[in-house]
């Protein structure tokens, strides 16, 4: 259901009493509407020209009480696979201070003339004993191994760069 005329494009634009009731329920229950980051409309009648109608019929509502906590929300519209509705996805992540930082490549590593050789050697090291496994799984394990070796080498070679 749309909550305002701005959530509909095309067709007859009128305020419906059901829209007001839906908004009232959201307010009474203290629900917050999470907007999608990559578009507005989640339904389309698939007609052309001036007969096309699009609406925001799908949404995520979350309790107002958890907004402001250290929780990250991101809603997005996914591609449609033959339907007149586009599915939506909600990603939730906790903002945890103890969480490890993601691996980031540092350009200054390339100043070490042996860096590329080290990476090649680490790649070859991890190749041993992995025959017969799924290739993608093998690739992921090798990357994880190299990431660990690079982080270890970075600590030994450069220390805390902060």
């Amino acid at each position: 259901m749309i909550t305002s005329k701005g959530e509909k494009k095309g067709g007859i634009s009128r305020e419906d009493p059901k829209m007001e009731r839906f908004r009232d329920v959201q307010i009474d229950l203290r629900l917050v509407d999470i907007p999608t980051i990559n578009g507005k409309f989640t339904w389309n009648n698939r007609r052309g020209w001036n007969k096309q109608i699009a609406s925001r019929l799908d949404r995520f509502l979350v309790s107002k009480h958890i907004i402001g906590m250290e929780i990250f929300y991101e809603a997005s519209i996914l591609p449609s696979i033959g339907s007149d509705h586009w599915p939506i996805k909600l990603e939730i992540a906790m903002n945890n201070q103890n969480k490890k930082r993601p691996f980031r490549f540092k350009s200054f590593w390339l100043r070490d003339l042996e860096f590329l050789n080290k990476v090649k050697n680490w790649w070859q090291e991890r190749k041993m004993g992995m025959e017969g496994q799924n290739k993608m799984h093998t690739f992921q394990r090798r990357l994880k191994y190299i990431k660990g070796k690079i982080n270890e080498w970075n600590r030994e070679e450069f220390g805390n760069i902060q």
Side-chain angles (χ1 to χ4, degrees), residues 31-162:
L31 299 175
V32 176
D33 193 345
I34 305 295
T36 52
I37 61 168
N38 60 337
K40 185 175 188 178
F41 304 112
T42 61
W43 176 84
N44 188 313
N45 68 350
R46 295 182 173 256
R47 294 186 185 156
W49 304 97
N50 60 347
K51 294 183 180 184
Q52 186 178 48
I53 301 171
S55 297
R56 181 181 184 222
L57 298 182
D58 307 287
R59 66 188 73 241
F60 291 106
L61 300 171
V62 298
S63 172
K64 188 177 187 176
H65 299 293
I66 59 175
I67 299 291
M69 295 174 79
E70 295 191 7
I71 300 174
F72 169 77
Y73 300 94
E74 186 173 270
S76 58
I77 300 172
L78 301 174
S80 174
I81 305 175
S83 174
D84 57 358
H85 277 267
W86 281 261
I88 56 176
K89 171 179 79 168
L90 179 65
E91 291 186 58
I92 301 172
M94 301 298 288
N95 187 6
N96 187 351
Q97 298 299 331
N98 297 332
K99 203 163 120 177
K100 281 185 162 182
R101 281 198 234 149
F103 178 80
R104 300 258 198 271
F105 180 83
K106 310 285 192 277
S107 60
F108 68 84
W109 291 340
L110 295 173
R111 293 182 190 155
D112 184 324
L113 300 176
E114 286 300 309
F115 177 70
L116 293 178
N117 288 331
K118 290 176 192 283
V119 171
K120 286 177 188 175
N121 290 336
W122 294 327
W123 185 260
Q124 292 302 318
E125 280 176 21
R126 195 59 188 163
K127 192 174 184 179
M128 304 302 181
M130 298 189 76
E131 298 82 15
Q133 293 184 1
N134 173 304
K135 289 182 181 186
M136 182 53 80
H137 183 253
T138 302
F139 181 70
Q140 288 173 331
R141 286 183 59 193
R142 288 172 85 179
L143 283 177
K144 186 175 181 180
Y145 175 76
I146 286 179
K147 181 179 95 168
K149 293 299 269 184
I150 290 173
N151 282 333
E152 182 182 311
W153 168 79
N154 182 56
R155 274 191 306 276
E156 292 171 2
E157 190 72 22
F158 300 103
N160 183 355
I161 61 169
Q162 304 302 332

